[in-house]
Amino acid sequence: MKKIISLLTIIISGLSFAQVTFNPGIRAGANFSHFTNNSSQSYYYWDYDYYPSGTNPTMDFKTKTDFYIGLFGNIRFAKFYALQPEINYSRQGTKLDTNINNWNGQTLTATYVGVQLVNKFYFNKFNVHFGPTLDFLVEQKNFDAENEVDLGITAGLGFDITKNFGVEARVKKGFVPVYYFNGDHSNVTFQAGVYYTFNMKK
């Protein structure tokens, strides 16, 4: 018990006397996004001209590749922890894989501007990060979105190549339905990119 109390005292003391720093930065990279699929992949219509005769219509949501770019402020409270608010522009969506006539291969685009509050934990040059996301739909193409706001969570890993430059990989999962087709479908986005942190003058 004394060892636990001593460890907590050291951590609290470190946080108390640590110099809090703030550094702005920019992040950018590729999005690999899709909408969630239902467990059932069969969809039924009254109009049989939509799909080949004698078959059941099917639809899968496949990966769409696009990009993201954002600004962040890294608030370093301790050597091992920082809070990083972000503003991001993210082009997401999905591709349709279906036997419904004129739909196969179509790309549905949902573009968001959002805020993220990322908690970053540092282990030497590596960092683990996660936090909530709130995205606002600013553009939709080839479909009508169910909601114009998406609430979700993001988690990922980063590696500092230099003091200022690093690479990152994240997954972002939305919980608010973005598209309805025989059920609700939400956003899933994998991100791979780079970030650069600017030094602030003391």
Side-chain angles (χ1 to χ4, degrees), residues 81-84 117-121 128-132:
Y81 174 73
L83 185 64
Q84 185 168 291
L117 194 59
V118 178
N119 299 276
K120 300 186 77 170
F121 297 89
V128 177
H129 47 268
F130 67 89

Side-chain angles (χ1 to χ4, degrees), residues 21-50:
T21 61
F22 172 82
N23 292 287
I26 186 170
R27 58 188 297 264
N31 277 342
F32 306 95
S33 61
H34 64 88
F35 296 160
T36 54
N37 283 295
N38 285 349
S39 57
S40 173
Q41 296 300 314
S42 295
Y43 305 90
Y44 299 94
Y45 298 87
W46 291 107
D47 188 347
Y48 288 90
D49 291 334
Y50 274 116

